[in-house]
Amino acid sequence: MPSINTSSSGHAGPINTMRIFLPYSTAEAGYLATLRRAMDVINSRIKGHAPCNAAFQALPGGRSFADVWNDSSIWISYSSDATPGYYSTRNGQDITISKYAFTMGHWTVVASLLHELAHVNGAPGNDTQAEDTLKKCLLNNLHDPNVIGRILGPMNNQRIC
């Protein structure tokens, strides 16, 4: 399972100049609880779902969802950005979930994690491959066909996803 970047983990993620890849501290205890709930949903409902595993195997990285999910070298960090429409991002094996995504609830966190894990497994940022995995991973109701590496929000304001 991916590792969680906490203040005691000792993980030094990507440079935090934009306050994006931060460790979860006691100030984010509620968000950490939401993250753990999302991870429980993934463990209990999604990890063993054959269509989800097949969708991930079809990505350029070729690993099943279970293989990606079981990779402890993937880190999940916190972003204090609460800008509406900004959910998550990735840098290599580091994923961050935004404060905005947490305010939307654990199902949004589940969808954001799966989307970013698809990028970890090679989904490019210039098409819908990462977002389309949600349809095969029991999250069809959270799939947004407008997500192509970025969401184009109101007035074409681009947000990273």
Side-chain angles (χ1 to χ4, degrees):
M1 184 163 52
S3 301
I4 299 173
N5 185 10
T6 63
S7 51
S8 64
S9 70
H11 178 65
I15 297 173
N16 290 321
T17 56
M18 295 175 42
R19 303 205 37 87
I20 293 177
F21 294 93
L22 303 172
Y24 292 87
S25 67
T26 54
E28 292 83 35
Y31 299 139
L32 182 56
T34 301
L35 175 61
R36 287 192 171 123
R37 184 172 182 200
M39 293 173 81
D40 287 344
V41 167
I42 292 170
N43 274 323
S44 64
R45 299 182 184 188
I46 298 172
K47 179 175 69 173
H49 187 62
C52 185
N53 280 303
F56 267 72
Q57 282 180 308
L59 294 172
R63 296 192 293 168
S64 71
F65 177 74
D67 289 339
V68 174
W69 184 247
N70 288 328
D71 186 346
S72 63
S73 71
I74 297 169
W75 285 86
I76 303 170
S77 296
Y78 171 72
S79 169
S80 59
D81 193 330
T83 304
Y86 170 63
Y87 296 92
S88 58
T89 195
R90 175 196 65 90
N91 184 332
Q93 297 280 99
D94 283 271
I95 294 171
T96 191
I97 306 296
S98 74
K99 183 176 185 175
Y100 176 76
F102 282 112
T103 65
M104 301 297 289
H106 76 277
W107 284 107
T108 298
V109 174
V110 169
S112 297
L113 283 170
L114 264 75
H115 177 104
E116 298 304 337
L117 288 167
H119 285 304
V120 169
N121 197 32
N126 62 353
D127 63 23
T128 62
Q129 286 184 58
E131 188 70 8
D132 289 346
T133 60
L134 279 87
K135 295 190 290 188
K136 299 292 186 179
C137 296
L138 304 171
L139 298 170
N140 195 47
N141 60 327
L142 293 169
H143 175 264
D144 183 343
N146 298 310
V147 174
I148 303 176
R150 297 175 179 263
I151 294 177
L152 291 178
M155 309 291 284
N156 288 327
N157 186 15
Q158 292 191 339
R159 299 288 180 222
I160 299 171
C161 63

